[in-house]
Amino acid sequence: MDPIKPAKVVKEALDKAVEKVADLVTPPAPGRPGSAPPPVDPPSEPQGPLPRKPDQASPATLSATGAGTGAAADVREQQGEYLTTAQGARLYDTDHSLKAGERGPTLLQDHHLREKITHFDHERIPERVVHARGSAAHGVFVGYGTASQVCKAGFLAEGATTPVFTRFSTVVGSRGSADTVRDTRGFATKFYTDEGTFDLVANNIPVFFIQDGIKFPDIIHAAKPHPDREIPQAQSAHDTFWDFVSLHTEATHHVMWHMSDRGVPRSYRMMEGFGVHTFRLVNADGVTSLAKFHWKPKLGVHSLLWEEAQLINGVDPDFHRRDLADAIESGAFPQFELGIQVFPDTPEQTFEGIDLLDPTKIVPEELAPVQAIGMLTLNRNTTNFFAETEQVAFHVGHLPPGIDVTDDPLLQARLFSYLDTQLSRLGGPNFGQIPINRPHAPVNDMFRDGFHQHAVHSGVAPYKPNTLDGGCPFMAGADVGAYIEVPQPVAESVKRRESPTSFQDHFTQPRLFYRSLSAVEREHVVRAFTFELGKCYEQAIKERQLRVLANVDAELCALVAQGLGLPAPEATVPVPEVTPSPALSQVGQVWPVEGRMIGIVVDADDPDSLDGLHQLRSTIDAAGLTPLIIAARGGQLEDGLDAQRTFLTARSIEFDALLVAAAPPPAPDALPNRDAKAAAPAVSVDPRVVLMVQECFRHAKAIGAWGTGRNALLEAGCAEGDPGVVVGDTPAEVFGQVVELLGAHRVWERFPATVA
């Protein structure tokens, strides 16, 4: 045998392999989301599915018993150039539900809506498709009685006390994702009323990405991680999200809120909630009104800075759920006032020119003030996360007498979707019998059997009418609290897939939101857009989104374009004049400080730095805040005084304000190979303390110091005259000034604004 021949064969094989590898690395950088670069404008000529990327493969085409079939690798991929149903029927529209007229209710016969939503609802087992990561607590709701003129619901009566269960959540991430990602938050509350369960399924953003529920699978598929790599997790900073929203401009208003500070809340306790949709209220006389629900946090609406959020995701990805549980455990019970905006129930269902059936629009509070109707207090943590937080099932169709739905096309689809979702996630139709979901009102539904049936039904006649069970259960009338839908007229029109003309303005309200923010908040919006679009791979997507921003605000577009290194396009529609709504800004008010975390840096080896700490800690406790002493080592520092954090375990993001009682020298563990935070250069003060002060200053938090703590501030580059830096002679004097600053959440003067 020629010994040279095998070597030649090997070399030829290696050469071919190198050629294949060269094909794989043709893109200038890894991370391209698709197999071909997208155009800026949507494609207009039909074409079939693009091929897979060169670095992708799929399972071999084998039979169920492992036999080769000889079929091509793409035999299981999507086929054809037109959108179809699952049965292959071509579709002419997938953006609008089939409705009774352009403003009528959605029709049950819309098989495409039901097929699309049903398939979407069953895509994940067992975690929720959306809102998978959440945290919850029990509580109580007390009605004020102020809603009686517009709503007959019993739980809103004066002094009526109703047990509740509230679940907060992120939307996009999986159960294992982090809390402080940029995302919409869910704010779902289950009221166990004696008239039946009421689920107020709210978000912390008052508008939605879409106007019609048939688009819900599209926005979630776009926002979720890319399907080939399952990255990025719990983020919108990627190509598929921005590809969708830049093409689907009705999402622009939600995107503006999403890119604002509202996208990264400081805490679930400091987060507004909105019912998003317009509901119909009915009073005791049968008179109807239209209304929007609002939750107003007692502590005010506050947010994280983007750098803080990024640090927290690494340091403590459970930051929000820990904050909620710790606050309740410490007695700083989160409270939210429920309010309503009320509008006349006119045939047009509009108010001041705003279409109340459009879920991408708000009604500014200056036009329709929010009227308080009750108080929610969360006062008990869960006993078992799975049994309660995971198994709780919300549904927008769980309504008590006095509250009804409208023809909002997003709400109409949700009425089907929520119920359908529970069937696979919770194993069948009896999910309402799981303890956390059980109504606190008598149930006699005549439903029988099915998976997980816990009830033991008696009787022999689960049907109506019957005589064998004595006719039971009987129908109820309005006089005994029956739920009766409002006999709302349905427009007589042809069935169609389209939206009313009033749904077509996609830019006025995004501009209203942006122009209502303070200068520092607008800076954050600019930074968020620049960061998110900067994470996209495709230049075309960035350019397309800039076109959208140009129609919202020229300044915003120009600054984002500058950060991306792209030219700023001109607006393609007239940019409207708007009257700012001060209620949309988070800056400029003072709020209660209960439940805030106060870090106190001490020197464990310097008795002088511990003077007055017993009294200071008592003062902080009495104010409803939580003091955490930070020292070089843990354990007892002196009798009755323990360190809760060490320089190794503490990070600035945990504290709302920082008090510095000492300038501790570098501790024995201040070594870069033991604690990376110790790598910062410092001469006389432990570098972890210096870093903590610098981060607090950079994040506009209040900082106070006394005694030798002044030296730590100087080492960190903070001067006594800097905004929000308090220096005094005693702990009490310093804390008194710091707590005043804390009411505004941040020292906003530290952020010089460059926007107009």
Side-chain angles (χ1 to χ4, degrees):
M1 182 177 179
D2 183 0
I4 306 300
K5 189 173 182 179
K8 290 181 179 179
V9 172
V10 171
K11 184 178 185 304
E12 290 173 359
L14 287 173
D15 289 342
K16 291 180 180 179
V18 169
E19 291 176 5
K20 290 182 178 180
V21 171
D23 291 339
L24 289 174
V25 297
T26 299
R32 169 163 283 166
S35 58
V40 174
D41 296 314
S44 57
E45 294 297 321
Q47 63 175 359
L50 295 178
R52 292 193 303 266
K53 292 166 57 180
D55 62 316
Q56 296 173 324
S58 61
T61 53
L62 303 176
S63 73
T65 56
T69 64
D74 63 356
V75 70
R76 290 175 297 215
E77 296 178 3
Q78 299 281 288
Q79 307 292 326
E81 56 193 25
Y82 293 100
L83 181 67
T84 72
T85 67
Q87 307 307 313
R90 290 183 177 179
L91 293 163
Y92 71 92
D93 187 301
T94 191
D95 288 350
H96 304 93
S97 301
L98 192 64
K99 297 183 281 290
E102 67 175 20
R103 297 183 65 77
T106 300
L107 299 177
L108 184 62
Q109 76 175 71
D110 189 350
H111 64 93
H112 174 46
L113 166 67
R114 287 185 287 118
E115 180 184 68
K116 184 176 180 180
I117 293 291
T118 297
H119 193 282
F120 170 73
D121 287 343
H122 297 269
E123 286 181 358
R124 298 289 189 277
I125 298 174
E127 75 174 24
R128 292 167 171 86
V129 178
V130 290
H131 298 277
R133 181 173 180 82
S135 190
H138 297 271
V140 64
F141 178 84
V142 179
Y144 291 165
T146 50
S148 60
Q149 291 185 345
V150 293
C151 185
K152 65 181 180 181
F155 79 99
L156 296 176
E158 184 176 2
T161 301
T162 304
V164 300
F165 187 75
T166 296
R167 185 178 187 270
F168 304 102
S169 56
T170 54
V171 172
V172 177
S174 68
R175 278 190 62 190
S177 57
D179 279 349
T180 59
V181 295
R182 183 177 293 282
D183 197 359
T184 305
R185 265 68 182 181
F187 189 143
T189 301
K190 186 177 289 292
F191 297 79
Y192 302 97
T193 87
D194 56 11
E195 297 178 298
T197 300
F198 171 44
D199 288 344
L200 180 52
V201 191
N203 286 336
N204 76 320
I205 291 177
V207 291
F208 213 68
F209 284 108
I210 54 176
Q211 295 169 323
D212 193 312
I214 200 170
K215 296 299 295 178
F216 195 68
D218 298 307
I219 177 55
I220 299 303
H221 285 164
K224 284 285 189 178
H226 291 203
D228 54 348
R229 300 185 177 194
E230 188 66 11
I231 55 174
Q233 178 62 242
Q235 296 180 53
S236 54
H238 56 87
D239 289 74
T240 60
F241 175 82
W242 289 100
D243 185 38
F244 176 82
V245 299
S246 63
L247 293 167
H248 201 66
T249 54
E250 70 190 48
T252 304
H253 194 190
H254 191 124
V255 168
M256 292 300 298
W257 284 74
H258 188 80
M259 292 297 106
S260 76
D261 293 341
R262 303 277 186 145
V264 279
R266 159 60 181 86
S267 163
Y268 291 140
R269 301 178 290 124
M270 305 169 192
M271 193 173 79
E272 275 187 302
F274 305 90
V276 178
H277 307 289
T278 299
F279 290 83
R280 180 168 279 108
L281 304 183
V282 187
N283 69 12
D285 297 323
V287 178
T288 63
S289 304
L290 300 179
K292 287 181 176 289
F293 289 102
H294 294 249
W295 288 113
K296 297 287 187 181
K298 178 184 176 183
L299 299 180
V301 188
H302 298 308
S303 297
L304 297 167
L305 300 182
W306 182 230
E307 186 193 24
E308 273 187 300
Q310 292 175 302
L311 286 172
I312 291 169
N313 284 338
V315 175
D316 185 8
D318 303 307
F319 185 77
H320 281 159
R321 62 173 56 177
R322 188 189 313 281
D323 175 89
L324 177 66
D326 286 353
I328 293 173
E329 183 180 3
S330 65
F333 298 145
Q335 289 190 307
F336 303 85
E337 200 162 45
L338 180 62
I340 50 175
Q341 288 178 298
V342 181
F343 319 102
D345 190 0
T346 63
E348 297 77 20
Q349 298 174 95
T350 62
F351 182 78
E352 297 287 344
I354 300 167
D355 195 324
L356 297 175
L357 299 189
D358 184 349
T360 68
K361 304 294 194 299
I362 65 167
V363 177
E365 294 183 28
E366 290 76 17
L367 297 179
V370 176
Q371 305 170 48
I373 61 175
M375 177 68 79
L376 167 68
T377 302
L378 299 178
N379 54 19
R380 288 185 296 128
N381 286 312
T382 56
T383 299
N384 183 279
F385 189 90
F386 177 79
E388 299 164 269
T389 306
E390 274 305 294
Q391 291 196 122
V392 67
F394 297 96
H395 178 27
V396 290
H398 291 166
L399 301 166
I403 303 176
D404 202 351
V405 299
T406 58
D407 293 338
D408 173 341
L410 175 61
L411 176 57
Q412 292 275 312
R414 292 177 76 190
L415 289 168
F416 167 76
S417 180
Y418 277 66
L419 183 62
D420 182 56
T421 296
Q422 315 304 345
L423 297 179
S424 64
R425 196 176 71 81
L426 295 174
N430 293 311
F431 61 86
Q433 296 181 22
I434 296 172
I436 192 64
N437 295 321
R438 289 176 183 169
H440 291 202
V443 174
N444 194 343
D445 54 22
M446 292 201 304
F447 299 152
R448 291 295 187 269
D449 307 338
F451 283 111
H452 310 302
Q453 175 59 258
H454 296 277
V456 181
H457 294 98
S458 60
V460 296
Y463 52 83
K464 289 289 293 181
N466 75 71
T467 59
L468 290 175
D469 280 347
C472 183
F474 292 85
M475 298 300 177
D479 58 328
V480 289
Y483 185 93
I484 300 175
E485 291 82 2
V486 175
Q488 186 70 13
V490 176
E492 293 184 7
S493 183
V494 297
K495 55 188 180 185
R496 59 183 68 186
R497 293 187 186 274
E498 62 182 44
S499 295
T501 304
S502 57
F503 277 40
Q504 302 309 311
D505 180 3
H506 299 164
F507 303 117
T508 298
Q509 288 218 336
R511 178 170 175 78
L512 166 67
F513 178 74
Y514 182 72
R515 280 293 149 194
S516 297
L517 301 179
S518 66
V520 66
E521 290 172 299
R522 294 202 301 276
E523 288 275 11
H524 294 169
V525 171
V526 169
R527 189 184 312 166
F529 271 109
T530 308
F531 176 90
E532 296 254 329
L533 291 169
K535 300 289 279 188
C536 290
Y537 189 98
E538 299 292 354
Q539 289 291 98
I541 291 174
K542 302 175 188 178
E543 293 175 23
R544 192 189 308 135
Q545 182 59 34
L546 286 174
R547 291 182 182 178
V548 175
L549 295 184
N551 292 333
V552 174
D553 190 271
E555 172 198 66
L556 171 62
C557 180
L559 291 173
V560 175
Q562 181 184 54
L564 297 174
L566 294 171
E570 297 294 325
T572 57
V573 298
V575 178
E577 291 296 323
V578 294
T579 301
S581 169
L584 297 177
S585 173
Q586 297 182 152
V587 176
Q589 299 185 60
V590 177
W591 301 96
V593 298
E594 288 91 343
R596 308 295 179 89
M597 297 287 184
I598 308 296
I600 308 172
V601 175
V602 303
D603 185 345
D605 298 318
D606 179 10
D608 291 340
S609 77
L610 307 181
D611 286 347
L613 282 193
H614 289 279
Q615 181 60 45
L616 175 62
R617 191 174 60 179
S618 297
T619 302
I620 294 175
D621 283 331
L625 295 89
T626 301
L628 295 174
I629 295 176
I630 316 161
R633 63 175 187 271
Q636 190 175 75
L637 304 180
E638 66 176 32
D639 189 30
L641 196 65
D642 295 335
Q644 289 82 35
R645 300 289 187 274
T646 67
F647 301 154
L648 176 69
T649 61
R651 196 69 192 257
S652 67
I653 47 86
E654 186 176 5
F655 311 114
D656 295 286
L658 189 67
L659 303 178
V660 187
D669 66 344
L671 305 171
N673 61 348
R674 189 173 299 174
D675 184 356
K677 301 192 301 298
V683 178
S684 59
V685 181
D686 191 294
R688 280 87 55 93
V689 173
V690 173
L691 177 63
M692 198 178 308
V693 173
Q694 290 173 334
E695 286 182 346
C696 284
F697 187 86
R698 190 164 68 244
H699 299 154
K701 295 177 180 178
I703 303 170
W706 61 90
T708 59
R710 294 181 175 89
N711 298 331
L713 265 58
L714 293 174
E715 191 77 37
C718 298
E720 184 174 343
D722 288 336
V725 176
V726 178
V727 176
D729 296 325
T730 66
E733 175 191 353
V734 171
F735 175 68
Q737 297 180 58
V738 165
V739 79
E740 286 186 19
L741 294 168
L742 199 54
H745 188 54
R746 296 190 190 277
V747 183
W748 297 109
E749 306 92 285
R750 284 201 203 135
F751 292 120
T754 60
V755 298

